[in-house]
Amino acid sequence: MAVASVLAEALESHRAGRADEAERLYRQALAEQPADPTALYLYGLFNFEAGRSDAAAALLHRVVGLRPDHAQARLTLAQLRHWRGEHEAAAADYRRALALEPHRADAAIGLANVLREAGQIGLALAEGEAVAAQFPKLVEAWVALGAVRLAARDAEGAAAAYEAAVALDPQHAIARLGLAGARLALGDASGAGRAAETALAIEPASADAWFVLGAALRAQLRTEAAVQALEQAAALAPERATIRLDLGGLYAEQGRAPEAEASLLVALALDPSSAATHASLSAVYLRAGREGEAERHARAAIVLDPDMAEPHQTLASVLAAQGWAAEARRHRDAAYRGRNLFVEPALEPGPTVLMPITAEAGNTPLRDVMPRRRIGRARWVIEYATAAQIAQPPPHDVVFNAIGDPDLAGPTAAPMRRFLRGARRPILNAPAGVAATRRDRLPTLLSGLPGVVTPPAARLTARVMARWGLAGAVRRAGLRPPLLLRPVGSHGGRGLVRIESMAELANAPLGGDLYATAFHEYRSADGAYRKYRVIFVDRCAYPYHLAISREWLVHYLSAGMANDADGRAEEARFLADPDGAVGAAAVEAVRAIGRRLDLDYAGVDFSVLDDGRVLVFEANATMLAHEEAPDGLFAYKNPAVAAITTAFERMLIAAATTGERVSP
């Protein structure tokens, strides 16, 4: 049989999907004519489609060696190299194909795309503009131009290119998807979502479209819907590390630490070189108190990307907690020097709040309390502020001092004073008011309030303890056991010890400055310990939670509330009716604490003694309140959280527009 007939039969089998038969016939043709360019080309194409890229490349190389003018073989070789990620070689072959046939749109589009993927954005942009001008009726030309413009950070131009593609073919899913990406880059999350949904209507199994839809929903703060979209994307493309990375980030935002960890570990297995994944894992582990793992992943991220801020922030927190102050400072410098302002615009028109914060721990945790829909945020790490920034601060309508822990505010004191001297907008949570909430100052601040017990506390400096010893320092402060000792600046019970006798003070851990606080027994009649939290917004009290434990050291996460249905029911009753739960006198005492604190945002942790008095544990501006998963075990808390966030938003908007406080 003649070679031409064998090739015709092979091509027919190839097109019909009879792979074994097609391969046998291609081999037969090459056995008869080993140097036949057509046989070599068709068999090379067959191997390319079968995923045998090495064999395909070898065959196509033979074709162009025999026929340097074989434009189609040169183009296929370019596409093969492009697919293999050999960008430089692919670009050269695309150019050779165009030199042979200047009007090959597929070669011109391929060249623009491979240059973009290689990071040669200037060259890619020139090629993209040329191909769209040369082939204005070709959808793929406009899609290629849109992708290049997006890579060049010309989101507006990219959107225009993708819109031109959509006008040519409204059912082109890739064009719709590109338009979604461009809209997202422009800050038009709603438009991005609509474009992604249209792409999904055309191609429902597109992992890319679900991924972009998830990003659009996340930008609209529709977190639960964003999670569902990314879960769909992950199911369709389980090998995509970026999907798992973003999904892990969303789980973390929802407080779903186990799911966040699992998703991020999958992302890391898929792409071990991802600095962003290591950084996200380190942040998840830090919030979970798993400091060893947080440090390990933060250091891995820094090795991969030394300029990434987040792992430096995490590592600084870990090292500071371990007492490595100098090394922690170096990582803070790396995180914030030259990039101390982080702006999150509102989704809808509204005021911008300038939030001076510190690089140290102890900032007021306002992520969930300050809704982003109508409130823009500009978080300003003020100890790294430049003289020019102090003289001309970032644009804002109101200032909220988010430096909530007086013990950690030292590095911010001087720049805050300079900033406040020239401030022209209302200041909420003024530093002087925050300073009065320091543990040793709180008893004086709250003294004389009817029905309020604030145990005496003293700050024991390392210098005094070195001279008099811990026992001597305690005596000089007028305190005696039982006592609570904790390092200055610590939170969450870190380093906290209970001392029952003066003899125990000889073995108590010493380091830096300590707080000593008189311990007041507060066990309830049923043998349990109860710790209530109330949040103050504009000096008005809002119940937030109740933790019940059999241990005297009560923290919500470790109190076992997830396994205590009766405890959750009691908490729900407190949130719905504080007067009925703890008594009107106790509620009034708590309200008086809020008025005495005189802060725009603060909170108090307390218990109610058997005689009805309120026992204060702490009251300050670092109290956390956050929304729970809407379908989770603690969803009953969300109406109380909503009341806090609504009041906070109302206060900010009033301060921004009138400069006055507003009360409900």
Side-chain angles (χ1 to χ4, degrees):
M1 185 183 295
V3 169
S5 299
V6 174
L7 287 176
E9 189 176 341
L11 189 57
E12 181 181 349
S13 297
H14 185 172
R15 289 170 175 167
R18 299 190 296 272
D20 291 344
E21 182 181 349
E23 183 157 23
R24 180 183 62 78
L25 291 167
Y26 283 135
R27 287 180 177 274
Q28 179 182 333
L30 284 170
E32 295 179 18
Q33 290 288 344
D36 184 285
T38 302
L40 289 166
Y41 172 72
L42 291 175
Y43 192 37
L45 186 62
F46 176 87
N47 276 278
F48 187 9
E49 293 173 358
R52 301 196 295 255
S53 63
D54 289 342
L59 290 161
L60 292 169
H61 273 297
R62 290 178 63 190
V63 176
V64 297
L66 291 165
R67 288 272 309 277
D69 61 342
H70 198 307
Q72 186 60 51
R74 185 65 74 178
L75 174 60
T76 305
L77 184 57
Q79 292 168 334
L80 171 61
R81 285 172 159 166
H82 191 167
W83 178 74
R84 287 167 59 149
E86 300 168 2
H87 294 132
E88 187 175 347
D93 280 322
Y94 280 130
R95 288 191 172 99
R96 292 187 186 103
L98 285 167
L100 293 167
E101 294 186 10
H103 299 293
R104 291 289 305 243
D106 44 6
I109 291 169
L111 178 59
N113 284 331
V114 80
L115 290 170
R116 170 179 54 80
E117 293 167 21
Q120 300 182 46
I121 304 302
L123 292 175
L125 192 56
E127 294 293 340
E129 299 286 357
V131 75
Q134 188 176 6
F135 305 102
K137 299 297 184 183
L138 191 63
V139 173
E140 288 75 11
W142 289 105
V143 169
L145 178 58
V148 173
R149 285 176 172 172
L150 201 55
R153 302 182 184 276
D154 177 12
E156 189 172 349
Y162 285 124
E163 285 167 351
V166 167
L168 290 168
D169 182 1
Q171 294 301 304
H172 199 288
I174 295 177
R176 293 282 186 184
L177 187 57
L179 181 58
R183 287 286 172 207
L184 198 58
L186 284 168
D188 179 11
S190 297
R194 289 192 297 271
E197 287 170 348
T198 304
L200 283 168
I202 300 166
E203 194 174 323
S206 169
D208 287 329
W210 283 109
F211 181 62
V212 174
L213 178 60
L217 291 167
R218 186 178 193 176
Q220 296 174 65
L221 306 182
R222 296 169 59 186
T223 306
E224 188 58 37
V227 166
Q228 293 172 6
L230 289 183
E231 287 175 339
Q232 185 68 33
L236 290 166
E239 76 290 349
R240 290 272 296 279
T242 52
I243 296 174
R244 295 288 186 173
L245 170 60
D246 282 15
L247 183 56
L250 278 172
Y251 285 144
E253 286 182 18
Q254 290 185 311
R256 297 164 63 181
E259 293 97 327
E261 179 187 14
S263 186
L264 291 169
L265 287 174
V266 171
L268 195 62
L270 292 168
D271 183 7
S273 65
S274 170
T277 305
H278 278 293
S280 293
L281 266 172
S282 70
V284 167
Y285 287 135
L286 181 65
R287 284 192 290 272
R290 296 161 64 178
E291 293 183 350
E293 290 158 298
E295 179 176 353
R296 178 165 60 86
H297 285 285
R299 291 192 184 279
I302 290 168
V303 168
L304 292 164
D305 185 354
D307 293 328
M308 182 180 285
E310 185 180 12
H312 284 292
Q313 296 166 7
T314 298
L315 197 51
S317 296
V318 171
L319 293 168
Q322 294 172 349
W324 299 98
E327 190 176 353
R329 169 57 61 186
R330 286 196 294 273
H331 285 286
R332 289 192 197 100
D333 290 346
Y336 297 115
R337 187 161 286 158
R339 49 183 170 191
N340 58 45
L341 182 65
F342 304 90
V343 178
E344 297 175 352
L347 299 183
E348 300 171 2
T352 295
V353 179
L354 180 62
M355 297 170 57
I357 61 175
T358 174
E360 308 245 4
N363 289 309
T364 304
L366 295 177
R367 187 187 70 180
D368 293 328
V369 173
M370 187 185 295
R372 275 186 54 201
R373 185 158 296 280
R374 292 201 297 163
I375 304 292
R377 320 178 194 186
R379 294 183 299 119
W380 189 20
V381 188
I382 197 165
E383 63 257 51
Y384 289 93
T386 64
Q389 284 179 317
I390 295 289
Q392 188 171 356
H396 62 281
D397 302 291
V398 63
V399 178
F400 186 96
N401 168 40
I403 305 163
D405 187 339
D407 291 316
L408 300 174
T412 69
M416 273 295 289
R417 282 195 298 270
R418 293 196 299 272
F419 164 63
L420 292 175
R421 278 198 295 267
R424 297 292 180 267
R425 301 300 301 159
I427 311 294
L428 303 181
N429 266 26
V434 171
T437 66
R438 209 173 77 175
R439 286 185 186 275
D440 58 327
R441 297 169 180 164
L442 190 64
T444 300
L445 178 64
L446 301 184
S447 65
L449 289 179
V452 175
V453 177
T454 310
R459 181 169 176 144
L460 310 179
T461 66
R463 182 178 61 83
V464 169
M465 288 186 287
R467 180 174 181 182
W468 300 102
L470 180 54
V474 167
R475 289 192 190 94
R476 291 176 67 82
L479 297 174
R480 63 181 182 180
L483 291 171
L484 300 178
L485 296 180
R486 77 188 82 215
V488 167
S490 72
H491 293 274
R494 180 189 294 275
L496 177 65
V497 294
R498 179 173 164 178
I499 302 296
E500 297 295 336
S501 67
M502 294 299 287
E504 288 184 40
L505 291 173
N507 299 317
L510 290 177
D513 293 0
L514 298 176
Y515 280 122
T517 306
F519 177 77
H520 195 299
E521 179 59 57
Y522 67 102
R523 192 198 312 259
S524 300
D526 63 358
Y529 291 91
R530 286 168 171 79
K531 186 176 78 170
Y532 300 84
R533 175 169 294 181
V534 164
I535 299 295
F536 302 113
V537 180
D538 198 17
R539 296 143 191 89
C540 296
Y542 298 87
Y544 172 62
H545 76 205
L546 161 63
I548 306 171
S549 174
R550 288 293 174 185
E551 303 295 330
W552 68 267
L553 182 56
V554 183
H555 291 292
Y556 197 87
L557 292 178
S558 61
M561 295 291 286
N563 301 315
D564 183 1
D566 290 340
R568 294 195 302 275
E570 183 178 340
E571 180 182 33
R573 290 193 296 273
F574 166 65
L575 297 178
D577 180 15
D579 285 41
V582 300
V587 169
E588 178 52 38
V590 169
R591 290 173 178 156
I593 292 170
R595 293 191 293 270
R596 181 69 63 85
L597 291 175
D598 196 28
L599 290 171
D600 301 282
Y601 178 89
V604 60
D605 283 346
F606 65 94
S607 192
V608 179
L609 301 174
D610 290 342
D611 61 7
R613 292 180 300 163
V614 169
L615 174 66
V616 175
F617 300 130
E618 58 180 321
N620 53 52
T622 64
M623 296 291 182
L624 173 67
H626 64 87
E627 189 177 28
E628 300 290 341
D631 57 349
L633 199 59
F634 299 99
Y636 61 86
K637 294 174 60 176
N638 286 338
V641 177
I644 295 168
T645 58
T646 299
F648 196 86
E649 182 180 61
R650 182 171 57 240
M651 176 184 69
L652 288 176
I653 291 174
T657 55
T658 68
E660 299 175 356
R661 297 171 181 168
V662 61
S663 297

